[in-house]
Coordinates of all heavy atoms in Angstrom, one line a residue:
G975 N 85.8 61.2 24.5 CA 86.7 62.1 24.0 C 86.3 62.7 22.7 O 85.6 62.0 21.9
R976 N 86.6 64.0 22.4 CA 86.3 64.6 21.2 C 87.4 64.7 20.2 O 87.3 64.5 19.0 CB 85.7 66.0 21.4 CG 85.3 66.8 20.2 CD 84.7 68.1 20.5 NE 84.3 68.8 19.2 CZ 85.2 69.6 18.5 NH1 86.4 69.7 18.9 NH2 84.8 70.2 17.4
R977 N 88.6 65.0 20.8 CA 89.8 65.1 19.9 C 90.1 63.8 19.3 O 89.8 62.7 19.8 CB 91.0 65.5 20.8 CG 91.0 67.0 21.2 CD 92.2 67.3 22.0 NE 92.3 66.5 23.3 CZ 93.3 66.6 24.1 NH1 94.3 67.4 23.9 NH2 93.3 65.9 25.2
L978 N 90.9 63.8 18.2 CA 91.4 62.6 17.5 C 92.9 62.6 17.8 O 93.5 63.5 18.2 CB 91.2 62.7 16.0 CG 89.7 62.8 15.6 CD1 89.6 63.0 14.1 CD2 88.9 61.5 16.0
C979 N 93.5 61.4 17.6 CA 94.9 61.2 17.8 C 95.4 60.0 17.0 O 94.7 59.1 16.6 CB 95.3 61.0 19.3 SG 94.6 59.5 20.0
T980 N 96.7 60.1 16.7 CA 97.4 58.9 16.2 C 98.5 58.6 17.2 O 99.3 59.4 17.7 CB 98.1 59.2 14.8 OG1 98.9 60.4 14.9 CG2 97.1 59.3 13.8
V981 N 98.5 57.3 17.7 CA 99.4 56.9 18.8 C 100.5 56.0 18.2 O 100.2 55.1 17.4 CB 98.6 56.2 19.9 CG1 99.5 55.8 21.0 CG2 97.5 57.1 20.4
G982 N 101.7 56.1 18.7 CA 102.8 55.3 18.2 C 103.8 55.9 17.3 O 104.8 55.3 16.9
G983 N 103.5 57.2 16.8 CA 104.4 57.9 16.0 C 105.6 58.5 16.8 O 105.6 58.4 18.0
R984 N 106.5 59.1 16.1 CA 107.7 59.7 16.7 C 107.4 61.0 17.5 O 108.3 61.4 18.2 CB 108.8 59.9 15.7 CG 108.5 60.9 14.6 CD 109.8 61.3 13.8 NE 110.4 60.1 13.3 CZ 111.6 60.2 12.6 NH1 112.2 61.4 12.4 NH2 112.2 59.1 12.1
H985 N 106.3 61.6 17.3 CA 106.0 62.9 17.9 C 105.3 62.9 19.2 O 105.6 63.7 20.1 CB 105.3 63.8 16.9 CG 105.9 64.0 15.6 ND1 107.1 64.6 15.4 CD2 105.6 63.5 14.3 CE1 107.5 64.5 14.1 NE2 106.6 63.9 13.5
G986 N 104.4 61.9 19.4 CA 103.8 61.8 20.7 C 102.8 62.9 21.1 O 102.4 63.7 20.2
Y987 N 102.4 62.9 22.3 CA 101.5 63.8 22.9 C 102.2 65.1 23.2 O 103.3 65.1 23.7 CB 100.8 63.3 24.1 CG 99.7 64.2 24.7 CD1 98.4 64.1 24.2 CD2 100.1 65.1 25.7 CE1 97.5 65.0 24.7 CE2 99.1 66.0 26.2 CZ 97.8 65.9 25.7 OH 96.9 66.8 26.2
P988 N 101.6 66.3 22.9 CA 100.3 66.6 22.3 C 100.3 66.8 20.8 O 99.3 67.2 20.2 CB 99.8 67.8 23.0 CG 101.1 68.6 23.2 CD 102.2 67.5 23.5
R989 N 101.5 66.6 20.2 CA 101.7 66.9 18.8 C 100.9 66.0 17.8 O 100.7 66.4 16.7 CB 103.2 67.0 18.4 CG 103.9 68.1 19.2 CD 105.4 67.8 19.1 NE 106.0 67.9 17.8 CZ 107.2 67.6 17.5 NH1 108.1 67.2 18.4 NH2 107.6 67.7 16.2
E990 N 100.5 64.9 18.3 CA 99.8 64.0 17.5 C 98.3 63.9 17.9 O 97.7 62.9 17.8 CB 100.4 62.6 17.4 CG 101.7 62.6 16.6 CD 102.2 61.2 16.4 OE1 101.6 60.4 15.6 OE2 103.3 60.8 17.0
T991 N 97.8 65.0 18.4 CA 96.4 65.1 18.7 C 95.8 66.2 17.7 O 96.5 67.1 17.3 CB 96.1 65.6 20.1 OG1 96.7 66.8 20.4 CG2 96.7 64.6 21.1
Y992 N 94.5 66.0 17.3 CA 93.9 66.7 16.3 C 92.5 67.1 16.6 O 91.8 66.4 17.3 CB 94.0 65.9 15.0 CG 95.2 65.1 14.8 CD1 95.2 63.7 14.9 CD2 96.4 65.7 14.4 CE1 96.3 63.0 14.7 CE2 97.6 65.0 14.3 CZ 97.5 63.6 14.4 OH 98.7 62.9 14.3
Q993 N 92.1 68.2 16.1 CA 90.7 68.6 16.1 C 89.9 67.9 15.0 O 90.4 67.8 13.9 CB 90.5 70.1 16.0 CG 91.2 70.9 17.1 CD 90.6 70.5 18.5 OE1 89.4 70.3 18.7 NE2 91.5 70.4 19.5
P994 N 88.7 67.3 15.3 CA 88.0 66.6 14.3 C 87.7 67.4 13.1 O 87.6 66.8 11.9 CB 86.8 66.1 15.0 CG 86.6 66.9 16.2 CD 88.0 67.3 16.6
E995 N 87.5 68.7 13.2 CA 87.1 69.5 12.0 C 88.3 69.6 11.0 O 88.0 69.9 9.8 CB 86.7 70.9 12.4 CG 87.7 71.7 13.3 CD 87.4 71.5 14.8 OE1 86.9 70.5 15.2 OE2 87.8 72.5 15.5
W996 N 89.5 69.3 11.4 CA 90.6 69.2 10.5 C 90.4 68.1 9.4 O 90.9 68.2 8.3 CB 92.0 69.0 11.2 CG 92.3 70.1 12.2 CD1 91.7 71.3 12.3 CD2 93.4 70.1 13.1 NE1 92.3 72.0 13.4 CE2 93.3 71.3 13.9 CE3 94.3 69.2 13.5 CZ2 94.2 71.6 14.9 CZ3 95.3 69.5 14.5 CH2 95.2 70.7 15.2
F997 N 89.7 67.1 9.8 CA 89.5 66.0 8.9 C 88.0 65.9 8.4 O 87.7 65.0 7.7 CB 89.7 64.6 9.7 CG 91.2 64.4 10.1 CD1 91.7 64.9 11.2 CD2 92.0 63.7 9.2 CE1 93.0 64.7 11.6 CE2 93.3 63.5 9.5 CZ 93.9 64.0 10.7
A998 N 87.3 67.0 8.6 CA 85.9 67.0 8.2 C 85.8 67.0 6.7 O 84.8 66.5 6.1 CB 85.1 68.2 8.8
Q999 N 86.7 67.6 6.0 CA 86.8 67.7 4.5 C 88.1 67.2 4.0 O 89.1 67.2 4.8 CB 86.4 69.1 4.0 CG 85.0 69.5 4.4 CD 84.7 70.9 3.8 OE1 85.4 71.4 3.0 NE2 83.5 71.4 4.2
V1000 N 88.2 66.9 2.8 CA 89.4 66.4 2.2 C 90.0 67.4 1.2 O 89.3 68.1 0.4 CB 89.2 65.1 1.4 CG1 90.4 64.6 0.7 CG2 88.6 64.0 2.4
A1001 N 91.3 67.6 1.3 CA 92.1 68.4 0.3 C 92.9 67.5 -0.5 O 93.5 66.5 0.0 CB 92.9 69.4 1.0
E1002 N 93.1 67.7 -1.8 CA 94.0 66.9 -2.6 C 95.3 67.7 -2.8 O 95.3 68.8 -3.2 CB 93.3 66.7 -4.0 CG 92.1 65.8 -4.0 CD 92.4 64.4 -3.7 OE1 93.5 63.9 -4.1 OE2 91.6 63.7 -3.1
L1003 N 96.4 67.0 -2.4 CA 97.7 67.6 -2.4 C 98.6 66.8 -3.4 O 98.5 65.6 -3.4 CB 98.3 67.7 -1.0 CG 97.6 68.6 0.0 CD1 98.4 68.5 1.3 CD2 97.5 70.0 -0.5
E1004 N 99.5 67.5 -4.0 CA 100.5 66.8 -4.9 C 101.6 66.2 -4.1 O 102.2 66.9 -3.3 CB 101.0 67.8 -5.9 CG 102.0 67.2 -6.9 CD 102.6 68.2 -7.8 OE1 102.0 69.3 -8.1 OE2 103.8 68.0 -8.3
F1005 N 101.9 65.0 -4.4 CA 103.0 64.3 -3.8 C 103.7 63.5 -4.9 O 103.1 62.6 -5.4 CB 102.6 63.4 -2.7 CG 103.7 62.7 -1.9 CD1 104.3 63.4 -0.9 CD2 104.1 61.4 -2.2 CE1 105.4 62.7 -0.2 CE2 105.1 60.8 -1.5 CZ 105.8 61.5 -0.5
E1006 N 104.9 63.9 -5.3 CA 105.7 63.2 -6.3 C 104.9 63.2 -7.6 O 104.9 62.2 -8.4 CB 106.1 61.8 -5.9 CG 107.0 61.8 -4.7 CD 108.4 62.3 -5.0 OE1 108.9 62.2 -6.2 OE2 109.0 62.9 -4.1
G1007 N 104.2 64.3 -7.9 CA 103.5 64.5 -9.2 C 102.2 63.8 -9.2 O 101.5 63.8 -10.3
I1008 N 101.7 63.2 -8.1 CA 100.4 62.5 -8.0 C 99.6 63.1 -6.9 O 100.1 63.6 -5.9 CB 100.7 61.0 -7.7 CG1 101.6 60.4 -8.8 CG2 99.3 60.3 -7.7 CD1 102.1 59.0 -8.4
S1009 N 98.3 63.2 -7.2 CA 97.4 63.8 -6.2 C 96.9 62.7 -5.2 O 96.5 61.6 -5.5 CB 96.1 64.4 -6.9 OG 95.2 64.9 -6.0
F1010 N 97.0 63.1 -3.9 CA 96.6 62.2 -2.8 C 95.8 63.0 -1.8 O 95.9 64.2 -1.7 CB 97.8 61.6 -2.1 CG 98.6 60.6 -2.9 CD1 99.8 61.0 -3.5 CD2 98.2 59.3 -3.0 CE1 100.5 60.1 -4.2 CE2 98.9 58.4 -3.7 CZ 100.1 58.8 -4.3
P1011 N 94.9 62.3 -1.1 CA 94.0 63.0 -0.1 C 94.8 63.4 1.2 O 95.7 62.7 1.6 CB 92.9 61.9 0.2 CG 93.6 60.6 -0.1 CD 94.5 60.9 -1.2
A1012 N 94.4 64.5 1.7 CA 95.0 65.1 2.9 C 93.8 65.7 3.7 O 92.8 66.1 3.1 CB 96.1 66.1 2.6
P1013 N 94.0 65.9 5.0 CA 93.0 66.6 5.7 C 92.9 68.0 5.3 O 93.9 68.7 5.1 CB 93.4 66.5 7.2 CG 94.9 66.1 7.1 CD 95.1 65.4 5.9

């Protein structure tokens, strides 16, 4: 398989399937005034 996925969440298939390029680099996003990594 090439796609990625997270299994067990509330959204299920196909909403929790991802293209690997989405995670190829990291973006820093603000969450509650603190920077955290995001795809």
Side-chain angles (χ1 to χ4, degrees):
R976 181 179 179 273
R977 288 180 297 176
L978 300 174
C979 64
T980 51
V981 183
R984 63 167 56 183
H985 304 292
Y987 182 85
R989 293 164 66 188
E990 290 189 68
T991 60
Y992 321 107
Q993 297 302 321
E995 54 265 28
W996 300 350
F997 291 87
Q999 296 182 10
V1000 176
E1002 293 290 330
L1003 296 181
E1004 179 183 337
F1005 185 84
E1006 297 293 328
I1008 305 169
S1009 179
F1010 290 100

